[in-house]
Amino acid sequence: DAGKAEGRGKIGGEDARRAQGRAEGTGGRQVLGAQAEGAVTRAWRATSVTVTAAGTAPQRSTSGHFDALDGVRGFAVLLVFCVHAAGNAAHAAFGANFGQARLATLTGPGEIALYWLYCSHHGVYLFFVLSGFLIGRMWWPRPVTAYAAFAWRRTLRIYPAFLLALAGSLVFAATSGIWRPSDLATLGANLLFLNGLPSLGVVALNTVTWSLFYEMTFYLAFPALALVAIALGPRAGVALWFFGVSL
């Protein structure tokens, strides 16, 4: 009987140790689970903060630029480059005019690849959107500079580079044998960016400058309209924004 009692005691002790082990294991798993849950919660909160921060308006750097928009601007530059580079390459390699071509009419893989790169005209639209956002913040709800100073700085930023590009294109045309002397009226219209307005039928001396007409028109017209809207009151400002969106 004493031996049986001792055996039962050993079995009971082993059962107790196994139970204690299971309890410790459960407790350990609970601690690990709690730690993992805490890590997940912290990661979620960090992600939430990141998403919230990313969802706010771009912040100005100390230099006054919106650094977050530089990548968008670079992407727009790449798209514009693809349009001109792919179009010129297709004309030189295959004699193709992508301005009149359709994807269904192309057969070779080289032509198809170049046409895909050529169809990147929305890069210019990105530039227009960026200009609208940045210039709009300068003039609404209150202007940060005088109209004359703003217009002068915009002109100095665009016109010298435009004149250099125009002169370069004319020199290239003369040296490559495709020069066609233009009259003074055509030259003057190009100097005023009127080649960007198709209805006027102005022959472009540098085709890629067409977008400057719309850029300069926006730079000169929007601040003037914003000043009028500010003078007339909030309702005029709302009407101005709806007018801009409708355009």
Side-chain angles (χ1 to χ4, degrees):
D1 294 337
K4 293 179 180 180
E6 183 179 357
R8 286 195 297 270
K10 291 180 179 180
I11 294 173
E14 292 174 358
D15 292 340
R17 284 192 294 273
R18 284 195 294 269
Q20 182 180 1
R22 288 194 296 271
E24 291 176 353
T26 302
R29 286 192 295 271
Q30 290 176 345
V31 171
L32 291 176
Q35 291 176 346
E37 182 179 358
V40 171
T41 302
R42 288 192 297 273
W44 178 83
R45 288 175 177 173
T47 304
S48 298
V49 171
T50 302
V51 171
T52 301
T56 58
Q59 300 299 312
R60 286 181 182 267
S61 65
T62 55
S63 62
H65 292 84
F66 286 93
D67 294 335
L69 299 181
D70 286 343
V72 180
R73 186 178 290 108
F75 182 65
V77 171
L78 178 62
L79 292 177
V80 173
F81 174 80
C82 286
V83 172
H84 297 290
N88 290 333
H91 180 72
F94 307 108
N97 181 5
F98 280 169
Q100 301 176 352
R102 294 293 180 268
L103 182 61
T105 63
L106 303 178
T107 56
E111 284 184 297
I112 294 175
L114 287 175
Y115 186 77
W116 182 78
L117 292 173
Y118 172 81
C119 294
S120 303
H121 296 81
H122 40 282
V124 176
Y125 305 147
L126 278 178
F127 276 122
F128 288 161
V129 171
L130 287 173
S131 294
F133 172 74
L134 296 173
I135 302 302
R137 288 175 64 91
M138 293 179 62
W139 291 94
W140 194 268
R142 60 185 60 87
V144 298
T145 186
Y147 177 81
F150 170 80
W152 178 243
R153 286 199 302 268
R154 291 288 114 181
T155 302
L156 287 180
R157 184 173 182 177
I158 292 175
Y159 215 76
F162 160 73
L163 291 177
L164 182 61
L166 180 62
S169 65
L170 294 179
V171 170
F172 175 79
T175 56
S176 60
I178 59 174
W179 168 258
R180 288 183 301 176
S182 60
D183 53 66
L184 291 179
T186 300
L187 178 61
N190 276 263
L191 292 175
L192 294 175
F193 309 126
L194 296 180
N195 57 292
L197 199 60
S199 60
L200 296 181
V202 175
V203 177
L205 300 181
N206 187 6
T207 307
V208 297
T209 60
W210 67 268
S211 62
L212 293 179
F213 170 81
Y214 302 95
E215 188 172 357
M216 284 302 297
T217 300
F218 173 76
Y219 287 154
L220 297 177
F222 178 80
L225 293 174
L227 291 175
V228 172
I230 292 171
L232 294 179
R235 291 186 177 181
V238 173
L240 173 63
W241 287 115
F242 274 103
F243 175 71
V245 172
S246 66
L247 289 179

